[in-house]
Amino acid sequence: MRITFLGTGAAGGVPRYGCNCAACERALANPVFVRRPCSALVEDGDTCVVLDAGLMNLHDRFPLGSYSAIVLTHFHPDHVQGLFHLRWGVLGNVPVYCPPDSEGCADLFKHPGILDFKPQTKFESFQIGSLTFTPLPLIHSKVTFGYLIENRHGVRFAYLTDTVGLPPKTLAMLQQSNPDGLAIDATDPPSTNANAVGGNHNDWNQALALIEQIKPARAWLTHLNHRSDTWQISNNPVLPEGVQVACDNAIIELQ
Amino acid sequence: MRITFLGTGAAGGVPRYGCNCAACERALANPVFVRRPCSALVEDGDTCVVLDAGLMNLHDRFPLGSYSAIVLTHFHPDHVQGLFHLRWGVLGNVPVYCPPDSEGCADLFKHPGILDFKPQTKFESFQIGSLTFTPLPLIHSKVTFGYLIENRHGVRFAYLTDTVGLPPKTLAMLQQSNPDGLAIDATDPPSTNANAVGGNHNDWNQALALIEQIKPARAWLTHLNHRSDTWQISNNPVLPEGVQVACDNAIIELQ
């Protein structure tokens, strides 16, 4: 199973528009540090799944027919905005597996165009080609799923963006599954009391604590904001063995 | 007054995603024929206004501080989708003049970020730098304004995308204003009975009929879809004197 991090940024990405903090200046100077809307590509043999659709150039990057399906974690704009244009395609049909969110985003349900939305049920697995996806409820301000993704050889990857903590049943399932890889929301730097209130995302320490509980073979912190990158530049934190900060365009091979 | 057509496409643009019609194949082969989301830049001395925000790379193309304001015709996604990312900027404030649409689009009003939405009233003029904007109600599936834009030297440009026909008072005001330039919705090729029903946009003939009634010095057909371009390729239609088909990146000087 091959994972490509298409984007590893929180809403607004890195650089943030108009920002001159250390992380944003660094990303403006060197594209390797840019964080685009959080999304990934999962490939396994002939199966190719786009996880979230926030990339603004999704239609240019993925020609019709070049992927099996789109799978959405939730309907916040930074995770679906690439669909507003892509949906007006012709001569095709794009399966879009998603949480059962009756609102969707803007008029996507009213005018789906070529998108075939397929709302899923929590903990009920579905199949896309050679991959089995199990939707895991997360804790966020909109109905949100993480996914446990397994191929026919038993390789397992968990994708858990946009959550603050994890519901007990989701955590238990992840602990039982022994994932080979796990990508998890680590939007904010370690919180102070001032910014911990009302959070909708993990901070650095919450993400590491969850990794410690789940014990995947390898883990990646993703969905990072510019404050996290600036904090890393200043503090150069040491991560536990097997844990890395994700970066855009990085490719992971899980076997 | 200088107008730049940033985009001249209907929803889905040209090429449409996955399409192999003559117009889409032409645009894929040669970027000069691409039609991006319908939008324009209006410049007059130091005043610089972005008309509609559908460009997906709006944040890259227009750094914070490089323009005076954004003016929206309406809140359909192809006219505002560039705001979903841009709003998360920092260290600034972007005035966004718009129609009084209580819904907006997705969560733009709930999470405006750096956007300062300024709903306007039909026929009540407002000022941005050296330019006077008069909102003109149009006929569309969402609350939609066209704008009559006038500089201090009496140069007048009317921007009328996303309408099928014109309300009588809007038409009368345009006829009285003798615009030097007019850009108007001509989304579809001349309609047959099959595709005329339930229209939300002018076709080629409706646009030309309105131009004939308003009698601007010069006029541009814009917001065109791929079927219109294919029809033009096949029929090579002759336009009245002073009327042109708009194309992306074309610059007009009005004096």
Side-chain angles (χ1 to χ4, degrees), chain B residues 1 42 44 47 49 71 123-135 147-158:
Chain B
M1 192 189 306
V42 186
D44 185 66
T47 303
V49 174
V71 173
F123 301 119
E124 291 188 10
S125 299
F126 58 91
Q127 196 77 24
I128 302 175
S130 62
L131 293 170
T132 304
F133 285 72
T134 305
Y147 292 97
L148 182 61
I149 306 165
E150 182 169 356
N151 73 7
R152 289 178 180 148
H153 306 291
V155 174
R156 294 188 197 90
F157 176 67

PDB file of all heavy atoms in Angstrom, chain B residues 1 42 44 47 49 71 123-135 147-158:
ATOM      1  N   MET B   1     -10.073  53.956 -17.333  1.00  0.00           N
ATOM      2  CA  MET B   1     -10.472  52.747 -16.604  1.00  0.00           C
ATOM      3  C   MET B   1      -9.987  51.526 -17.393  1.00  0.00           C
ATOM      4  O   MET B   1     -10.175  51.450 -18.604  1.00  0.00           O
ATOM      5  CB  MET B   1     -12.012  52.705 -16.478  1.00  0.00           C
ATOM      6  CG  MET B   1     -12.503  51.659 -15.501  1.00  0.00           C
ATOM      7  SD  MET B   1     -14.315  51.408 -15.530  1.00  0.00           S
ATOM      8  CE  MET B   1     -14.940  53.064 -15.276  1.00  0.00           C
ATOM      9  N   VAL B  42     -10.913  45.572 -12.236  1.00  0.00           N
ATOM     10  CA  VAL B  42     -11.198  46.933 -12.685  1.00  0.00           C
ATOM     11  C   VAL B  42     -10.185  47.847 -12.022  1.00  0.00           C
ATOM     12  O   VAL B  42     -10.106  47.904 -10.790  1.00  0.00           O
ATOM     13  CB  VAL B  42     -12.627  47.368 -12.302  1.00  0.00           C
ATOM     14  CG1 VAL B  42     -12.929  48.731 -12.904  1.00  0.00           C
ATOM     15  CG2 VAL B  42     -13.650  46.343 -12.756  1.00  0.00           C
ATOM     16  N   ASP B  44      -8.431  51.822 -11.897  1.00  0.00           N
ATOM     17  CA  ASP B  44      -8.602  53.239 -12.230  1.00  0.00           C
ATOM     18  C   ASP B  44      -7.678  54.030 -11.318  1.00  0.00           C
ATOM     19  O   ASP B  44      -7.941  54.158 -10.122  1.00  0.00           O
ATOM     20  CB  ASP B  44     -10.071  53.646 -12.015  1.00  0.00           C
ATOM     21  CG  ASP B  44     -10.344  55.074 -12.461  1.00  0.00           C
ATOM     22  OD1 ASP B  44     -10.256  55.340 -13.676  1.00  0.00           O
ATOM     23  OD2 ASP B  44     -10.621  55.919 -11.580  1.00  0.00           O
ATOM     24  N   THR B  47      -6.938  52.821  -7.714  1.00  0.00           N
ATOM     25  CA  THR B  47      -8.027  51.951  -7.284  1.00  0.00           C
ATOM     26  C   THR B  47      -8.002  50.655  -8.086  1.00  0.00           C
ATOM     27  O   THR B  47      -7.865  50.679  -9.314  1.00  0.00           O
ATOM     28  CB  THR B  47      -9.389  52.658  -7.468  1.00  0.00           C
ATOM     29  OG1 THR B  47      -9.353  53.884  -6.739  1.00  0.00           O
ATOM     30  CG2 THR B  47     -10.532  51.788  -6.982  1.00  0.00           C
ATOM     31  N   VAL B  49     -10.078  46.901  -8.145  1.00  0.00           N
ATOM     32  CA  VAL B  49     -11.179  46.120  -7.590  1.00  0.00           C
ATOM     33  C   VAL B  49     -11.266  44.767  -8.296  1.00  0.00           C
ATOM     34  O   VAL B  49     -11.261  44.708  -9.538  1.00  0.00           O
ATOM     35  CB  VAL B  49     -12.519  46.881  -7.730  1.00  0.00           C
ATOM     36  CG1 VAL B  49     -13.688  46.015  -7.290  1.00  0.00           C
ATOM     37  CG2 VAL B  49     -12.477  48.178  -6.925  1.00  0.00           C
ATOM     38  N   VAL B  71     -15.569  42.818  -5.038  1.00  0.00           N
ATOM     39  CA  VAL B  71     -17.002  43.071  -5.224  1.00  0.00           C
ATOM     40  C   VAL B  71     -17.619  41.803  -5.805  1.00  0.00           C
ATOM     41  O   VAL B  71     -17.128  41.288  -6.822  1.00  0.00           O
ATOM     42  CB  VAL B  71     -17.244  44.275  -6.164  1.00  0.00           C
ATOM     43  CG1 VAL B  71     -18.725  44.426  -6.479  1.00  0.00           C
ATOM     44  CG2 VAL B  71     -16.705  45.560  -5.539  1.00  0.00           C
ATOM     45  N   PHE B 123     -29.538  49.601  -6.453  1.00  0.00           N
ATOM     46  CA  PHE B 123     -29.611  50.966  -6.992  1.00  0.00           C
ATOM     47  C   PHE B 123     -28.974  52.021  -6.082  1.00  0.00           C
ATOM     48  O   PHE B 123     -28.970  53.193  -6.436  1.00  0.00           O
ATOM     49  CB  PHE B 123     -31.070  51.361  -7.311  1.00  0.00           C
ATOM     50  CG  PHE B 123     -31.733  50.455  -8.309  1.00  0.00           C
ATOM     51  CD1 PHE B 123     -32.868  49.719  -7.971  1.00  0.00           C
ATOM     52  CD2 PHE B 123     -31.226  50.319  -9.605  1.00  0.00           C
ATOM     53  CE1 PHE B 123     -33.485  48.877  -8.890  1.00  0.00           C
ATOM     54  CE2 PHE B 123     -31.833  49.480 -10.540  1.00  0.00           C
ATOM     55  CZ  PHE B 123     -32.964  48.748 -10.173  1.00  0.00           C
ATOM     56  N   GLU B 124     -28.462  51.623  -4.918  1.00  0.00           N
ATOM     57  CA  GLU B 124     -27.786  52.602  -4.047  1.00  0.00           C
ATOM     58  C   GLU B 124     -26.281  52.527  -4.269  1.00  0.00           C
ATOM     59  O   GLU B 124     -25.632  51.552  -3.888  1.00  0.00           O
ATOM     60  CB  GLU B 124     -28.128  52.348  -2.576  1.00  0.00           C
ATOM     61  CG  GLU B 124     -29.578  52.675  -2.249  1.00  0.00           C
ATOM     62  CD  GLU B 124     -29.883  52.607  -0.758  1.00  0.00           C
ATOM     63  OE1 GLU B 124     -28.938  52.494   0.066  1.00  0.00           O
ATOM     64  OE2 GLU B 124     -31.079  52.669  -0.420  1.00  0.00           O
ATOM     65  N   SER B 125     -25.724  53.571  -4.833  1.00  0.00           N
ATOM     66  CA  SER B 125     -24.306  53.564  -5.209  1.00  0.00           C
ATOM     67  C   SER B 125     -23.397  53.558  -3.989  1.00  0.00           C
ATOM     68  O   SER B 125     -23.760  54.063  -2.928  1.00  0.00           O
ATOM     69  CB  SER B 125     -23.988  54.801  -6.054  1.00  0.00           C
ATOM     70  OG  SER B 125     -24.754  54.784  -7.235  1.00  0.00           O
ATOM     71  N   PHE B 126     -22.216  52.928  -4.175  1.00  0.00           N
ATOM     72  CA  PHE B 126     -21.178  52.994  -3.151  1.00  0.00           C
ATOM     73  C   PHE B 126     -19.851  53.296  -3.839  1.00  0.00           C
ATOM     74  O   PHE B 126     -19.702  53.107  -5.042  1.00  0.00           O
ATOM     75  CB  PHE B 126     -21.104  51.699  -2.323  1.00  0.00           C
ATOM     76  CG  PHE B 126     -20.856  50.434  -3.118  1.00  0.00           C
ATOM     77  CD1 PHE B 126     -19.570  49.968  -3.340  1.00  0.00           C
ATOM     78  CD2 PHE B 126     -21.932  49.705  -3.649  1.00  0.00           C
ATOM     79  CE1 PHE B 126     -19.339  48.800  -4.070  1.00  0.00           C
ATOM     80  CE2 PHE B 126     -21.705  48.537  -4.386  1.00  0.00           C
ATOM     81  CZ  PHE B 126     -20.408  48.083  -4.599  1.00  0.00           C
ATOM     82  N   GLN B 127     -18.900  53.771  -3.030  1.00  0.00           N
ATOM     83  CA  GLN B 127     -17.644  54.273  -3.574  1.00  0.00           C
ATOM     84  C   GLN B 127     -16.490  53.375  -3.148  1.00  0.00           C
ATOM     85  O   GLN B 127     -16.397  52.979  -1.989  1.00  0.00           O
ATOM     86  CB  GLN B 127     -17.426  55.688  -3.002  1.00  0.00           C
ATOM     87  CG  GLN B 127     -16.398  56.518  -3.725  1.00  0.00           C
ATOM     88  CD  GLN B 127     -16.917  57.082  -5.045  1.00  0.00           C
ATOM     89  OE1 GLN B 127     -18.134  57.227  -5.213  1.00  0.00           O
ATOM     90  NE2 GLN B 127     -16.029  57.348  -5.974  1.00  0.00           N
ATOM     91  N   ILE B 128     -15.635  53.007  -4.081  1.00  0.00           N
ATOM     92  CA  ILE B 128     -14.365  52.340  -3.745  1.00  0.00           C
ATOM     93  C   ILE B 128     -13.268  53.157  -4.424  1.00  0.00           C
ATOM     94  O   ILE B 128     -13.145  53.129  -5.660  1.00  0.00           O
ATOM     95  CB  ILE B 128     -14.318  50.877  -4.219  1.00  0.00           C
ATOM     96  CG1 ILE B 128     -15.467  50.062  -3.606  1.00  0.00           C
ATOM     97  CG2 ILE B 128     -12.979  50.238  -3.851  1.00  0.00           C
ATOM     98  CD1 ILE B 128     -15.572  48.640  -4.121  1.00  0.00           C
ATOM     99  N   GLY B 129     -12.509  53.904  -3.652  1.00  0.00           N
ATOM    100  CA  GLY B 129     -11.478  54.766  -4.223  1.00  0.00           C
ATOM    101  C   GLY B 129     -12.103  55.729  -5.210  1.00  0.00           C
ATOM    102  O   GLY B 129     -13.056  56.448  -4.881  1.00  0.00           O
ATOM    103  N   SER B 130     -11.604  55.734  -6.445  1.00  0.00           N
ATOM    104  CA  SER B 130     -12.089  56.680  -7.455  1.00  0.00           C
ATOM    105  C   SER B 130     -13.276  56.144  -8.243  1.00  0.00           C
ATOM    106  O   SER B 130     -13.746  56.794  -9.170  1.00  0.00           O
ATOM    107  CB  SER B 130     -10.950  57.016  -8.423  1.00  0.00           C
ATOM    108  OG  SER B 130     -10.532  55.833  -9.090  1.00  0.00           O
ATOM    109  N   LEU B 131     -13.755  54.958  -7.880  1.00  0.00           N
ATOM    110  CA  LEU B 131     -14.834  54.336  -8.662  1.00  0.00           C
ATOM    111  C   LEU B 131     -16.161  54.323  -7.899  1.00  0.00           C
ATOM    112  O   LEU B 131     -16.195  54.028  -6.705  1.00  0.00           O
ATOM    113  CB  LEU B 131     -14.453  52.888  -9.014  1.00  0.00           C
ATOM    114  CG  LEU B 131     -13.274  52.712  -9.972  1.00  0.00           C
ATOM    115  CD1 LEU B 131     -12.853  51.241 -10.048  1.00  0.00           C
ATOM    116  CD2 LEU B 131     -13.621  53.247 -11.376  1.00  0.00           C
ATOM    117  N   THR B 132     -17.234  54.618  -8.625  1.00  0.00           N
ATOM    118  CA  THR B 132     -18.584  54.538  -8.073  1.00  0.00           C
ATOM    119  C   THR B 132     -19.268  53.299  -8.641  1.00  0.00           C
ATOM    120  O   THR B 132     -19.335  53.124  -9.861  1.00  0.00           O
ATOM    121  CB  THR B 132     -19.408  55.781  -8.456  1.00  0.00           C
ATOM    122  OG1 THR B 132     -18.702  56.946  -8.017  1.00  0.00           O
ATOM    123  CG2 THR B 132     -20.785  55.752  -7.796  1.00  0.00           C
ATOM    124  N   PHE B 133     -19.729  52.434  -7.756  1.00  0.00           N
ATOM    125  CA  PHE B 133     -20.425  51.211  -8.155  1.00  0.00           C
ATOM    126  C   PHE B 133     -21.917  51.372  -7.873  1.00  0.00           C
ATOM    127  O   PHE B 133     -22.299  51.705  -6.746  1.00  0.00           O
ATOM    128  CB  PHE B 133     -19.913  50.009  -7.345  1.00  0.00           C
ATOM    129  CG  PHE B 133     -18.573  49.509  -7.769  1.00  0.00           C
ATOM    130  CD1 PHE B 133     -17.422  50.233  -7.498  1.00  0.00           C
ATOM    131  CD2 PHE B 133     -18.461  48.301  -8.444  1.00  0.00           C
ATOM    132  CE1 PHE B 133     -16.171  49.761  -7.897  1.00  0.00           C
ATOM    133  CE2 PHE B 133     -17.228  47.823  -8.845  1.00  0.00           C
ATOM    134  CZ  PHE B 133     -16.077  48.550  -8.567  1.00  0.00           C
ATOM    135  N   THR B 134     -22.761  51.110  -8.868  1.00  0.00           N
ATOM    136  CA  THR B 134     -24.205  51.092  -8.650  1.00  0.00           C
ATOM    137  C   THR B 134     -24.698  49.659  -8.852  1.00  0.00           C
ATOM    138  O   THR B 134     -24.582  49.114  -9.959  1.00  0.00           O
ATOM    139  CB  THR B 134     -24.934  52.035  -9.622  1.00  0.00           C
ATOM    140  OG1 THR B 134     -24.369  53.348  -9.486  1.00  0.00           O
ATOM    141  CG2 THR B 134     -26.427  52.094  -9.316  1.00  0.00           C
ATOM    142  N   PRO B 135     -25.226  49.026  -7.780  1.00  0.00           N
ATOM    143  CA  PRO B 135     -25.707  47.635  -7.905  1.00  0.00           C
ATOM    144  C   PRO B 135     -27.020  47.573  -8.682  1.00  0.00           C
ATOM    145  O   PRO B 135     -27.965  48.293  -8.359  1.00  0.00           O
ATOM    146  CB  PRO B 135     -25.940  47.194  -6.447  1.00  0.00           C
ATOM    147  CG  PRO B 135     -25.377  48.273  -5.575  1.00  0.00           C
ATOM    148  CD  PRO B 135     -25.368  49.522  -6.389  1.00  0.00           C
ATOM    149  N   TYR B 147     -23.225  45.425 -11.991  1.00  0.00           N
ATOM    150  CA  TYR B 147     -22.735  46.708 -11.488  1.00  0.00           C
ATOM    151  C   TYR B 147     -22.495  47.675 -12.647  1.00  0.00           C
ATOM    152  O   TYR B 147     -21.927  47.292 -13.680  1.00  0.00           O
ATOM    153  CB  TYR B 147     -21.426  46.528 -10.710  1.00  0.00           C
ATOM    154  CG  TYR B 147     -21.628  45.763  -9.414  1.00  0.00           C
ATOM    155  CD1 TYR B 147     -21.382  44.386  -9.346  1.00  0.00           C
ATOM    156  CD2 TYR B 147     -22.097  46.401  -8.267  1.00  0.00           C
ATOM    157  CE1 TYR B 147     -21.586  43.680  -8.162  1.00  0.00           C
ATOM    158  CE2 TYR B 147     -22.311  45.696  -7.084  1.00  0.00           C
ATOM    159  CZ  TYR B 147     -22.052  44.350  -7.038  1.00  0.00           C
ATOM    160  OH  TYR B 147     -22.272  43.657  -5.877  1.00  0.00           O
ATOM    161  N   LEU B 148     -22.959  48.909 -12.453  1.00  0.00           N
ATOM    162  CA  LEU B 148     -22.552  50.006 -13.326  1.00  0.00           C
ATOM    163  C   LEU B 148     -21.412  50.710 -12.597  1.00  0.00           C
ATOM    164  O   LEU B 148     -21.574  51.140 -11.451  1.00  0.00           O
ATOM    165  CB  LEU B 148     -23.726  50.964 -13.555  1.00  0.00           C
ATOM    166  CG  LEU B 148     -23.448  52.134 -14.503  1.00  0.00           C
ATOM    167  CD1 LEU B 148     -23.077  51.664 -15.902  1.00  0.00           C
ATOM    168  CD2 LEU B 148     -24.665  53.067 -14.563  1.00  0.00           C
ATOM    169  N   ILE B 149     -20.253  50.774 -13.254  1.00  0.00           N
ATOM    170  CA  ILE B 149     -19.031  51.284 -12.609  1.00  0.00           C
ATOM    171  C   ILE B 149     -18.611  52.562 -13.334  1.00  0.00           C
ATOM    172  O   ILE B 149     -18.462  52.557 -14.558  1.00  0.00           O
ATOM    173  CB  ILE B 149     -17.916  50.218 -12.695  1.00  0.00           C
ATOM    174  CG1 ILE B 149     -18.422  48.880 -12.108  1.00  0.00           C
ATOM    175  CG2 ILE B 149     -16.663  50.686 -11.956  1.00  0.00           C
ATOM    176  CD1 ILE B 149     -17.546  47.676 -12.474  1.00  0.00           C
ATOM    177  N   GLU B 150     -18.416  53.626 -12.592  1.00  0.00           N
ATOM    178  CA  GLU B 150     -18.109  54.923 -13.216  1.00  0.00           C
ATOM    179  C   GLU B 150     -16.912  55.559 -12.527  1.00  0.00           C
ATOM    180  O   GLU B 150     -16.794  55.517 -11.293  1.00  0.00           O
ATOM    181  CB  GLU B 150     -19.337  55.846 -13.089  1.00  0.00           C
ATOM    182  CG  GLU B 150     -19.143  57.199 -13.741  1.00  0.00           C
ATOM    183  CD  GLU B 150     -20.438  57.999 -13.853  1.00  0.00           C
ATOM    184  OE1 GLU B 150     -21.498  57.473 -13.484  1.00  0.00           O
ATOM    185  OE2 GLU B 150     -20.362  59.156 -14.317  1.00  0.00           O
ATOM    186  N   ASN B 151     -15.989  56.097 -13.325  1.00  0.00           N
ATOM    187  CA  ASN B 151     -14.864  56.811 -12.699  1.00  0.00           C
ATOM    188  C   ASN B 151     -15.140  58.323 -12.679  1.00  0.00           C
ATOM    189  O   ASN B 151     -16.217  58.777 -13.094  1.00  0.00           O
ATOM    190  CB  ASN B 151     -13.531  56.451 -13.368  1.00  0.00           C
ATOM    191  CG  ASN B 151     -13.378  57.074 -14.758  1.00  0.00           C
ATOM    192  OD1 ASN B 151     -14.205  57.881 -15.203  1.00  0.00           O
ATOM    193  ND2 ASN B 151     -12.318  56.678 -15.438  1.00  0.00           N
ATOM    194  N   ARG B 152     -14.177  59.084 -12.195  1.00  0.00           N
ATOM    195  CA  ARG B 152     -14.395  60.534 -11.995  1.00  0.00           C
ATOM    196  C   ARG B 152     -14.442  61.317 -13.295  1.00  0.00           C
ATOM    197  O   ARG B 152     -14.789  62.488 -13.307  1.00  0.00           O
ATOM    198  CB  ARG B 152     -13.305  61.084 -11.071  1.00  0.00           C
ATOM    199  CG  ARG B 152     -13.491  60.612  -9.639  1.00  0.00           C
ATOM    200  CD  ARG B 152     -12.389  61.095  -8.711  1.00  0.00           C
ATOM    201  NE  ARG B 152     -12.631  60.603  -7.351  1.00  0.00           N
ATOM    202  CZ  ARG B 152     -11.689  60.290  -6.464  1.00  0.00           C
ATOM    203  NH1 ARG B 152     -10.418  60.410  -6.797  1.00  0.00           N
ATOM    204  NH2 ARG B 152     -12.011  59.859  -5.261  1.00  0.00           N
ATOM    205  N   HIS B 153     -14.035  60.652 -14.385  1.00  0.00           N
ATOM    206  CA  HIS B 153     -14.095  61.321 -15.688  1.00  0.00           C
ATOM    207  C   HIS B 153     -15.357  60.949 -16.448  1.00  0.00           C
ATOM    208  O   HIS B 153     -15.491  61.233 -17.635  1.00  0.00           O
ATOM    209  CB  HIS B 153     -12.857  60.963 -16.513  1.00  0.00           C
ATOM    210  CG  HIS B 153     -11.572  61.248 -15.787  1.00  0.00           C
ATOM    211  ND1 HIS B 153     -11.142  62.529 -15.513  1.00  0.00           N
ATOM    212  CD2 HIS B 153     -10.646  60.418 -15.243  1.00  0.00           C
ATOM    213  CE1 HIS B 153     -10.000  62.470 -14.847  1.00  0.00           C
ATOM    214  NE2 HIS B 153      -9.685  61.192 -14.665  1.00  0.00           N
ATOM    215  N   GLY B 154     -16.268  60.260 -15.784  1.00  0.00           N
ATOM    216  CA  GLY B 154     -17.539  59.908 -16.427  1.00  0.00           C
ATOM    217  C   GLY B 154     -17.459  58.685 -17.327  1.00  0.00           C
ATOM    218  O   GLY B 154     -18.390  58.394 -18.074  1.00  0.00           O
ATOM    219  N   VAL B 155     -16.345  57.938 -17.265  1.00  0.00           N
ATOM    220  CA  VAL B 155     -16.246  56.693 -18.037  1.00  0.00           C
ATOM    221  C   VAL B 155     -17.064  55.619 -17.324  1.00  0.00           C
ATOM    222  O   VAL B 155     -16.942  55.443 -16.113  1.00  0.00           O
ATOM    223  CB  VAL B 155     -14.775  56.243 -18.170  1.00  0.00           C
ATOM    224  CG1 VAL B 155     -14.686  54.875 -18.844  1.00  0.00           C
ATOM    225  CG2 VAL B 155     -13.981  57.288 -18.942  1.00  0.00           C
ATOM    226  N   ARG B 156     -17.915  54.914 -18.099  1.00  0.00           N
ATOM    227  CA  ARG B 156     -18.843  53.965 -17.484  1.00  0.00           C
ATOM    228  C   ARG B 156     -18.708  52.567 -18.085  1.00  0.00           C
ATOM    229  O   ARG B 156     -18.686  52.395 -19.311  1.00  0.00           O
ATOM    230  CB  ARG B 156     -20.295  54.422 -17.700  1.00  0.00           C
ATOM    231  CG  ARG B 156     -20.629  55.703 -16.992  1.00  0.00           C
ATOM    232  CD  ARG B 156     -22.122  55.992 -17.086  1.00  0.00           C
ATOM    233  NE  ARG B 156     -22.363  57.404 -16.773  1.00  0.00           N
ATOM    234  CZ  ARG B 156     -22.365  58.381 -17.655  1.00  0.00           C
ATOM    235  NH1 ARG B 156     -22.162  58.135 -18.945  1.00  0.00           N
ATOM    236  NH2 ARG B 156     -22.581  59.619 -17.259  1.00  0.00           N
ATOM    237  N   PHE B 157     -18.621  51.585 -17.179  1.00  0.00           N
ATOM    238  CA  PHE B 157     -18.537  50.183 -17.589  1.00  0.00           C
ATOM    239  C   PHE B 157     -19.612  49.404 -16.841  1.00  0.00           C
ATOM    240  O   PHE B 157     -19.751  49.530 -15.625  1.00  0.00           O
ATOM    241  CB  PHE B 157     -17.148  49.620 -17.257  1.00  0.00           C
ATOM    242  CG  PHE B 157     -16.982  48.157 -17.537  1.00  0.00           C
ATOM    243  CD1 PHE B 157     -17.014  47.676 -18.849  1.00  0.00           C
ATOM    244  CD2 PHE B 157     -16.779  47.243 -16.509  1.00  0.00           C
ATOM    245  CE1 PHE B 157     -16.856  46.311 -19.116  1.00  0.00           C
ATOM    246  CE2 PHE B 157     -16.628  45.887 -16.763  1.00  0.00           C
ATOM    247  CZ  PHE B 157     -16.660  45.418 -18.070  1.00  0.00           C
ATOM    248  N   ALA B 158     -20.404  48.628 -17.577  1.00  0.00           N
ATOM    249  CA  ALA B 158     -21.445  47.807 -16.943  1.00  0.00           C
ATOM    250  C   ALA B 158     -21.034  46.345 -17.002  1.00  0.00           C
ATOM    251  O   ALA B 158     -20.606  45.854 -18.056  1.00  0.00           O
ATOM    252  CB  ALA B 158     -22.778  48.006 -17.656  1.00  0.00           C
TER     253      ALA B 158
END
